[in-house]
Amino acid sequence: MNLERLETLLGETFGELLQRPLAQDIKKILASGDKRLYALWLTQVAHLTKHTSLHQAMVGLRSGISHPYMKFCFEHAAEEVGHEMMAIHDLRKIGVNVKTVDDLPPPLPATTQLNSYLYYAAQNAHPNTRLGFSYWAEKCYPYIDSLASGTKSSLGLSDSHMTFFVSHAAIDEKHAADVEKIVALVCKDAKDWAAVEDGMVTSLNLAVDIFAQIYQTVTTSPGVYADFLRSLEK
Amino acid sequence: MNLERLETLLGETFGELLQRPLAQDIKKILASGDKRLYALWLTQVAHLTKHTSLHQAMVGLRSGISHPYMKFCFEHAAEEVGHEMMAIHDLRKIGVNVKTVDDLPPPLPATTQLNSYLYYAAQNAHPNTRLGFSYWAEKCYPYIDSLASGTKSSLGLSDSHMTFFVSHAAIDEKHAADVEKIVALVCKDAKDWAAVEDGMVTSLNLAVDIFAQIYQTVTTSPGVYADFLRSLEK
Amino acid sequence: MNLERLETLLGETFGELLQRPLAQDIKKILASGDKRLYALWLTQVAHLTKHTSLHQAMVGLRSGISHPYMKFCFEHAAEEVGHEMMAIHDLRKIGVNVKTVDDLPPPLPATTQLNSYLYYAAQNAHPNTRLGFSYWAEKCYPYIDSLASGTKSSLGLSDSHMTFFVSHAAIDEKHAADVEKIVALVCKDAKDWAAVEDGMVTSLNLAVDIFAQIYQTVTTSPGVYADFLRSLEK
Amino acid sequence: MNLERLETLLGETFGELLQRPLAQDIKKILASGDKRLYALWLTQVAHLTKHTSLHQAMVGLRSGISHPYMKFCFEHAAEEVGHEMMAIHDLRKIGVNVKTVDDLPPPLPATTQLNSYLYYAAQNAHPNTRLGFSYWAEKCYPYIDSLASGTKSSLGLSDSHMTFFVSHAAIDEKHAADVEKIVALVCKDAKDWAAVEDGMVTSLNLAVDIFAQIYQTVTTSPGVYADFLRSLEK
């Protein structure tokens, strides 16, 4: 494994994901001007992002890692502090009346699973594992750009309404370069690369599960989200 | 309590400390050109600094702290990664043949105590407590400048031989301003200020204990440092 | 919610699970005398059980919990230390040549997910959440007894070959009573009960995912288990 | 090092400690019927004991330790849960009106130091280090028995007033045997023994510092304990 093959694998995985019926169904809903799916996605983003800097910093506490990797972990933890407030801001822009993550409905089970896995990867798995998540999270913007621009035009939003997406796409160009640099630095043998690949594939699949649950929640089983979704129907 | 009173308290504490016979004894040894005391100090600095970014990051993981304080913790953790290597560098410049902290003799008991206290402050005490340590650690340079310049001239060292001291004095001007800003931000009531004061006084006293043990080790009870000190006598 | 309703919910959930085609398919394979499925299950059990006492003890470290709950956590952590060695013993009895968990193929993704969730529940969720897992784990034996006895007779095993199952069924009668007692003690309001229910349902669903992956691994996609499964075919 | 030599070292250390002027001064105060010193000791005991089961359990989470040592850690953690309430009970028996540790004046600095060191030993030092504390804490009763019986008679207390001391002396006979057994089991080379010895000597010295600060607080600098001590004078 090397950086090029990791990028190829990411491209293939996204290619396959975007061909699935789920991706097409989601596109249709977003294009229809129905903002519930986007709202539910922002809600999960807020629940995930609240933890990002915490599990990122935890990797920096692992014994035996190198100084550059420690530095990377703490720097990125610092940069991601409070980013859940962007999702909150964007929710407010589409009419959801919330001030903090605590005002939101609880995370979907799949969201809790991704959070659980990222803490586990940070604390218990090979110390490189969580880099697989950073890798795709920082490099996913080209792949999901059409989803985002579809959402933007159908919901009549401007960039200033979509701060999470827009500013992360911007920030993450620098971050993606940082992540590639540190991946190249910390991967010395096949086991090191396997940990990054494992972290990437596992967390990406868990993220897809979130999309599936969002879709299902909006279309058939609102569950604890019933009131939240109803408030968005007007 | 407020920032001015904290600064006054620090000045008074250092004033009192520098009047003690111990401070005078230390000055005399440093002025004599005997590098053993400086070497022992650098050794303790290395054993302390190895942990600094770790317990700093741990504060950022505490629940209930604000986003700016989290950000401060992770940023400062990132900036302090690997600074023990400066102490190692400086030890090499005075002829100590070491590559990493693991090559050094073990920490003095007082050094272990300060490390223990800083981890405890970071994980168990009021989340502001560790700021009291940062406060004096970043603002101590004016007070100990004469000790440092005495060391420099008596041992015939240049700034490039004293990277830990010189670069920290420089870095720490910015850091001291950062620490004051965050202290002002996180201290909202008397309890918050008391935590900072408590952290400052306790960790400063523990640092003085280290100086006392260094002096004692050099002058009367070398213990596990016997070989190390002998190697510096030539 | 109360203990009776929790037990009813558990019974209904197991009733539903055992009606699924998956349960029937698994029964068929076990009845056929094919030991691969049982071996793969023991392997996942070993990978899970290695962590059980750790995340159980972590709940005891949570701040704000009562003394009886702390005591329960540490006592049960103590009792479950090393139980993965029973799974290792039982694997050896069916001809798998392993000495420790490290000799086994890696956990299936679903196994890693359950481990991740249990650490997350222990450290980050409501402190009662992990009790939902203990609850079903200690009370599942009546429900899965027919699976176990089917395995026993078709593979020609005695009780001494199935130490994990048999001794846990015995130990867990006491444990189940302990868990019910502590659940009744720590659940004071609806939120407390909801945490237990959430922990039970989530971890039980994750356990079912493991069975589904075991079945799939044996029947269609051996993946990293190919060699392991082949060695069991003779 | 071996168990006999460890016991000899403990005996010599206690012999030396009990010869110090401090020990004589403390005996005099206790014999005088002045209950302030005993009250202050119980207060520190409560502040220490509140953390004992936590740092004991943390050792059990260390990676790489053996199953018997894990089991020992969690079992002893379980047995020591809530023992601070014995100190609270005994304080009430001598007229101090407190219900929990939170009602007490804050720990003396030396008490915080011992707590800090024990957490550090549990989490960061050699995993055997904390056993050195358990070793003397479980075996100290013969050495301090005369202090205790002096206190008992001069303050006119019965065994039921001194639950912390009396029941620990009883419990700790079993515990002392457990600790010796596990020390013998986990010490395989000189480094392992050195960790136990280091933990014993360091924590015992920190405990002596607590006695020194208690004596000083009662005799000359009540500080934050002024009201507490005054309330005991009647």
Side-chain angles (χ1 to χ4, degrees), chain C residues 62-82:
Chain C
R62 295 288 294 269
S63 70
I65 65 170
S66 67
H67 288 157
Y69 191 25
M70 280 179 75
K71 206 177 175 68
F72 169 89
C73 291
F74 297 142
E75 273 176 358
H76 281 243
E79 285 176 17
E80 290 177 17
V81 168

PDB file of all heavy atoms in Angstrom, chain C residues 62-82:
ATOM      1  N   ARG C  62     -16.312   6.008  36.582  1.00  0.00           N
ATOM      2  CA  ARG C  62     -17.121   7.175  36.215  1.00  0.00           C
ATOM      3  C   ARG C  62     -17.432   8.017  37.449  1.00  0.00           C
ATOM      4  O   ARG C  62     -17.788   7.473  38.506  1.00  0.00           O
ATOM      5  CB  ARG C  62     -18.445   6.727  35.574  1.00  0.00           C
ATOM      6  CG  ARG C  62     -18.258   6.012  34.250  1.00  0.00           C
ATOM      7  CD  ARG C  62     -17.856   6.951  33.142  1.00  0.00           C
ATOM      8  NE  ARG C  62     -18.883   7.893  32.801  1.00  0.00           N
ATOM      9  CZ  ARG C  62     -19.814   7.706  31.865  1.00  0.00           C
ATOM     10  NH1 ARG C  62     -19.808   6.593  31.171  1.00  0.00           N
ATOM     11  NH2 ARG C  62     -20.707   8.630  31.619  1.00  0.00           N
ATOM     12  N   SER C  63     -17.360   9.315  37.301  1.00  0.00           N
ATOM     13  CA  SER C  63     -17.633  10.149  38.474  1.00  0.00           C
ATOM     14  C   SER C  63     -19.135  10.230  38.715  1.00  0.00           C
ATOM     15  O   SER C  63     -19.942  10.141  37.785  1.00  0.00           O
ATOM     16  CB  SER C  63     -17.049  11.537  38.282  1.00  0.00           C
ATOM     17  OG  SER C  63     -17.765  12.235  37.314  1.00  0.00           O
ATOM     18  N   GLY C  64     -19.499  10.341  39.959  1.00  0.00           N
ATOM     19  CA  GLY C  64     -20.897  10.541  40.297  1.00  0.00           C
ATOM     20  C   GLY C  64     -21.711   9.277  40.501  1.00  0.00           C
ATOM     21  O   GLY C  64     -22.885   9.350  40.843  1.00  0.00           O
ATOM     22  N   ILE C  65     -21.120   8.106  40.301  1.00  0.00           N
ATOM     23  CA  ILE C  65     -21.911   6.889  40.529  1.00  0.00           C
ATOM     24  C   ILE C  65     -21.845   6.504  42.007  1.00  0.00           C
ATOM     25  O   ILE C  65     -20.965   6.939  42.743  1.00  0.00           O
ATOM     26  CB  ILE C  65     -21.466   5.709  39.629  1.00  0.00           C
ATOM     27  CG1 ILE C  65     -20.049   5.252  39.966  1.00  0.00           C
ATOM     28  CG2 ILE C  65     -21.571   6.082  38.155  1.00  0.00           C
ATOM     29  CD1 ILE C  65     -19.675   3.943  39.285  1.00  0.00           C
ATOM     30  N   SER C  66     -22.808   5.678  42.434  1.00  0.00           N
ATOM     31  CA  SER C  66     -22.923   5.338  43.858  1.00  0.00           C
ATOM     32  C   SER C  66     -21.897   4.278  44.266  1.00  0.00           C
ATOM     33  O   SER C  66     -21.367   3.556  43.418  1.00  0.00           O
ATOM     34  CB  SER C  66     -24.323   4.808  44.142  1.00  0.00           C
ATOM     35  OG  SER C  66     -24.495   3.562  43.486  1.00  0.00           O
ATOM     36  N   HIS C  67     -21.664   4.169  45.559  1.00  0.00           N
ATOM     37  CA  HIS C  67     -20.752   3.138  46.053  1.00  0.00           C
ATOM     38  C   HIS C  67     -21.179   1.723  45.672  1.00  0.00           C
ATOM     39  O   HIS C  67     -20.347   0.940  45.222  1.00  0.00           O
ATOM     40  CB  HIS C  67     -20.578   3.260  47.573  1.00  0.00           C
ATOM     41  CG  HIS C  67     -19.753   4.445  47.963  1.00  0.00           C
ATOM     42  ND1 HIS C  67     -19.810   5.042  49.200  1.00  0.00           N
ATOM     43  CD2 HIS C  67     -18.837   5.150  47.261  1.00  0.00           C
ATOM     44  CE1 HIS C  67     -18.971   6.061  49.243  1.00  0.00           C
ATOM     45  NE2 HIS C  67     -18.379   6.147  48.087  1.00  0.00           N
ATOM     46  N   PRO C  68     -22.463   1.363  45.824  1.00  0.00           N
ATOM     47  CA  PRO C  68     -22.821  -0.021  45.440  1.00  0.00           C
ATOM     48  C   PRO C  68     -22.569  -0.304  43.964  1.00  0.00           C
ATOM     49  O   PRO C  68     -22.160  -1.402  43.604  1.00  0.00           O
ATOM     50  CB  PRO C  68     -24.329  -0.096  45.761  1.00  0.00           C
ATOM     51  CG  PRO C  68     -24.565   0.978  46.750  1.00  0.00           C
ATOM     52  CD  PRO C  68     -23.586   2.069  46.446  1.00  0.00           C
ATOM     53  N   TYR C  69     -22.784   0.708  43.117  1.00  0.00           N
ATOM     54  CA  TYR C  69     -22.558   0.477  41.681  1.00  0.00           C
ATOM     55  C   TYR C  69     -21.058   0.357  41.397  1.00  0.00           C
ATOM     56  O   TYR C  69     -20.623  -0.512  40.618  1.00  0.00           O
ATOM     57  CB  TYR C  69     -23.216   1.595  40.863  1.00  0.00           C
ATOM     58  CG  TYR C  69     -23.269   1.337  39.369  1.00  0.00           C
ATOM     59  CD1 TYR C  69     -23.248   0.046  38.847  1.00  0.00           C
ATOM     60  CD2 TYR C  69     -23.369   2.401  38.474  1.00  0.00           C
ATOM     61  CE1 TYR C  69     -23.307  -0.177  37.473  1.00  0.00           C
ATOM     62  CE2 TYR C  69     -23.435   2.188  37.099  1.00  0.00           C
ATOM     63  CZ  TYR C  69     -23.384   0.890  36.607  1.00  0.00           C
ATOM     64  OH  TYR C  69     -23.435   0.674  35.251  1.00  0.00           O
ATOM     65  N   MET C  70     -20.247   1.199  42.047  1.00  0.00           N
ATOM     66  CA  MET C  70     -18.788   1.060  41.913  1.00  0.00           C
ATOM     67  C   MET C  70     -18.358  -0.349  42.283  1.00  0.00           C
ATOM     68  O   MET C  70     -17.591  -0.995  41.581  1.00  0.00           O
ATOM     69  CB  MET C  70     -18.056   2.026  42.862  1.00  0.00           C
ATOM     70  CG  MET C  70     -17.952   3.447  42.389  1.00  0.00           C
ATOM     71  SD  MET C  70     -17.075   4.477  43.641  1.00  0.00           S
ATOM     72  CE  MET C  70     -15.355   3.963  43.397  1.00  0.00           C
ATOM     73  N   LYS C  71     -18.851  -0.796  43.441  1.00  0.00           N
ATOM     74  CA  LYS C  71     -18.466  -2.123  43.946  1.00  0.00           C
ATOM     75  C   LYS C  71     -18.878  -3.215  42.961  1.00  0.00           C
ATOM     76  O   LYS C  71     -18.083  -4.107  42.647  1.00  0.00           O
ATOM     77  CB  LYS C  71     -19.161  -2.335  45.304  1.00  0.00           C
ATOM     78  CG  LYS C  71     -18.440  -3.296  46.231  1.00  0.00           C
ATOM     79  CD  LYS C  71     -19.159  -3.389  47.580  1.00  0.00           C
ATOM     80  CE  LYS C  71     -18.522  -4.428  48.462  1.00  0.00           C
ATOM     81  NZ  LYS C  71     -17.172  -4.073  48.922  1.00  0.00           N
ATOM     82  N   PHE C  72     -20.096  -3.117  42.460  1.00  0.00           N
ATOM     83  CA  PHE C  72     -20.571  -4.068  41.457  1.00  0.00           C
ATOM     84  C   PHE C  72     -19.618  -4.104  40.256  1.00  0.00           C
ATOM     85  O   PHE C  72     -19.233  -5.175  39.779  1.00  0.00           O
ATOM     86  CB  PHE C  72     -21.983  -3.664  41.001  1.00  0.00           C
ATOM     87  CG  PHE C  72     -22.473  -4.410  39.791  1.00  0.00           C
ATOM     88  CD1 PHE C  72     -23.153  -5.612  39.924  1.00  0.00           C
ATOM     89  CD2 PHE C  72     -22.248  -3.916  38.507  1.00  0.00           C
ATOM     90  CE1 PHE C  72     -23.596  -6.310  38.807  1.00  0.00           C
ATOM     91  CE2 PHE C  72     -22.686  -4.602  37.382  1.00  0.00           C
ATOM     92  CZ  PHE C  72     -23.359  -5.805  37.532  1.00  0.00           C
ATOM     93  N   CYS C  73     -19.245  -2.915  39.759  1.00  0.00           N
ATOM     94  CA  CYS C  73     -18.401  -2.843  38.557  1.00  0.00           C
ATOM     95  C   CYS C  73     -17.061  -3.536  38.785  1.00  0.00           C
ATOM     96  O   CYS C  73     -16.603  -4.330  37.958  1.00  0.00           O
ATOM     97  CB  CYS C  73     -18.167  -1.385  38.150  1.00  0.00           C
ATOM     98  SG  CYS C  73     -19.643  -0.561  37.528  1.00  0.00           S
ATOM     99  N   PHE C  74     -16.411  -3.217  39.916  1.00  0.00           N
ATOM    100  CA  PHE C  74     -15.087  -3.791  40.156  1.00  0.00           C
ATOM    101  C   PHE C  74     -15.189  -5.286  40.465  1.00  0.00           C
ATOM    102  O   PHE C  74     -14.354  -6.075  40.024  1.00  0.00           O
ATOM    103  CB  PHE C  74     -14.360  -3.038  41.270  1.00  0.00           C
ATOM    104  CG  PHE C  74     -14.080  -1.592  40.930  1.00  0.00           C
ATOM    105  CD1 PHE C  74     -14.189  -0.590  41.896  1.00  0.00           C
ATOM    106  CD2 PHE C  74     -13.721  -1.214  39.637  1.00  0.00           C
ATOM    107  CE1 PHE C  74     -13.939   0.741  41.569  1.00  0.00           C
ATOM    108  CE2 PHE C  74     -13.470   0.114  39.307  1.00  0.00           C
ATOM    109  CZ  PHE C  74     -13.577   1.096  40.281  1.00  0.00           C
ATOM    110  N   GLU C  75     -16.228  -5.698  41.195  1.00  0.00           N
ATOM    111  CA  GLU C  75     -16.389  -7.133  41.477  1.00  0.00           C
ATOM    112  C   GLU C  75     -16.597  -7.937  40.196  1.00  0.00           C
ATOM    113  O   GLU C  75     -15.992  -8.987  39.998  1.00  0.00           O
ATOM    114  CB  GLU C  75     -17.596  -7.367  42.399  1.00  0.00           C
ATOM    115  CG  GLU C  75     -17.249  -7.257  43.867  1.00  0.00           C
ATOM    116  CD  GLU C  75     -18.476  -7.386  44.760  1.00  0.00           C
ATOM    117  OE1 GLU C  75     -19.600  -7.523  44.224  1.00  0.00           O
ATOM    118  OE2 GLU C  75     -18.308  -7.322  45.994  1.00  0.00           O
ATOM    119  N   HIS C  76     -17.471  -7.413  39.339  1.00  0.00           N
ATOM    120  CA  HIS C  76     -17.724  -8.144  38.103  1.00  0.00           C
ATOM    121  C   HIS C  76     -16.526  -8.089  37.163  1.00  0.00           C
ATOM    122  O   HIS C  76     -16.246  -9.054  36.442  1.00  0.00           O
ATOM    123  CB  HIS C  76     -19.023  -7.670  37.439  1.00  0.00           C
ATOM    124  CG  HIS C  76     -20.215  -8.268  38.094  1.00  0.00           C
ATOM    125  ND1 HIS C  76     -21.078  -9.103  37.452  1.00  0.00           N
ATOM    126  CD2 HIS C  76     -20.627  -8.218  39.386  1.00  0.00           C
ATOM    127  CE1 HIS C  76     -22.000  -9.514  38.303  1.00  0.00           C
ATOM    128  NE2 HIS C  76     -21.749  -8.980  39.491  1.00  0.00           N
ATOM    129  N   ALA C  77     -15.827  -6.965  37.168  1.00  0.00           N
ATOM    130  CA  ALA C  77     -14.591  -6.891  36.378  1.00  0.00           C
ATOM    131  C   ALA C  77     -13.635  -7.987  36.846  1.00  0.00           C
ATOM    132  O   ALA C  77     -13.038  -8.708  36.040  1.00  0.00           O
ATOM    133  CB  ALA C  77     -13.954  -5.515  36.519  1.00  0.00           C
ATOM    134  N   ALA C  78     -13.498  -8.136  38.167  1.00  0.00           N
ATOM    135  CA  ALA C  78     -12.593  -9.151  38.723  1.00  0.00           C
ATOM    136  C   ALA C  78     -13.024 -10.555  38.297  1.00  0.00           C
ATOM    137  O   ALA C  78     -12.194 -11.384  37.913  1.00  0.00           O
ATOM    138  CB  ALA C  78     -12.557  -9.050  40.251  1.00  0.00           C
ATOM    139  N   GLU C  79     -14.331 -10.792  38.363  1.00  0.00           N
ATOM    140  CA  GLU C  79     -14.818 -12.146  38.057  1.00  0.00           C
ATOM    141  C   GLU C  79     -14.640 -12.519  36.586  1.00  0.00           C
ATOM    142  O   GLU C  79     -14.587 -13.696  36.248  1.00  0.00           O
ATOM    143  CB  GLU C  79     -16.291 -12.292  38.444  1.00  0.00           C
ATOM    144  CG  GLU C  79     -16.454 -12.419  39.961  1.00  0.00           C
ATOM    145  CD  GLU C  79     -17.910 -12.472  40.378  1.00  0.00           C
ATOM    146  OE1 GLU C  79     -18.769 -12.730  39.521  1.00  0.00           O
ATOM    147  OE2 GLU C  79     -18.170 -12.254  41.584  1.00  0.00           O
ATOM    148  N   GLU C  80     -14.570 -11.499  35.720  1.00  0.00           N
ATOM    149  CA  GLU C  80     -14.506 -11.814  34.294  1.00  0.00           C
ATOM    150  C   GLU C  80     -13.093 -11.756  33.707  1.00  0.00           C
ATOM    151  O   GLU C  80     -12.915 -11.974  32.502  1.00  0.00           O
ATOM    152  CB  GLU C  80     -15.481 -10.921  33.535  1.00  0.00           C
ATOM    153  CG  GLU C  80     -16.895 -11.367  33.899  1.00  0.00           C
ATOM    154  CD  GLU C  80     -18.005 -10.547  33.295  1.00  0.00           C
ATOM    155  OE1 GLU C  80     -17.742  -9.807  32.338  1.00  0.00           O
ATOM    156  OE2 GLU C  80     -19.141 -10.674  33.795  1.00  0.00           O
ATOM    157  N   VAL C  81     -12.125 -11.502  34.564  1.00  0.00           N
ATOM    158  CA  VAL C  81     -10.738 -11.473  34.082  1.00  0.00           C
ATOM    159  C   VAL C  81     -10.362 -12.835  33.487  1.00  0.00           C
ATOM    160  O   VAL C  81     -10.585 -13.875  34.120  1.00  0.00           O
ATOM    161  CB  VAL C  81      -9.764 -11.143  35.238  1.00  0.00           C
ATOM    162  CG1 VAL C  81      -8.319 -11.411  34.813  1.00  0.00           C
ATOM    163  CG2 VAL C  81      -9.930  -9.697  35.681  1.00  0.00           C
ATOM    164  N   GLY C  82      -9.829 -12.819  32.298  1.00  0.00           N
ATOM    165  CA  GLY C  82      -9.260 -14.025  31.721  1.00  0.00           C
ATOM    166  C   GLY C  82     -10.253 -15.027  31.163  1.00  0.00           C
ATOM    167  O   GLY C  82      -9.860 -16.123  30.744  1.00  0.00           O
TER     168      GLY C  82
END
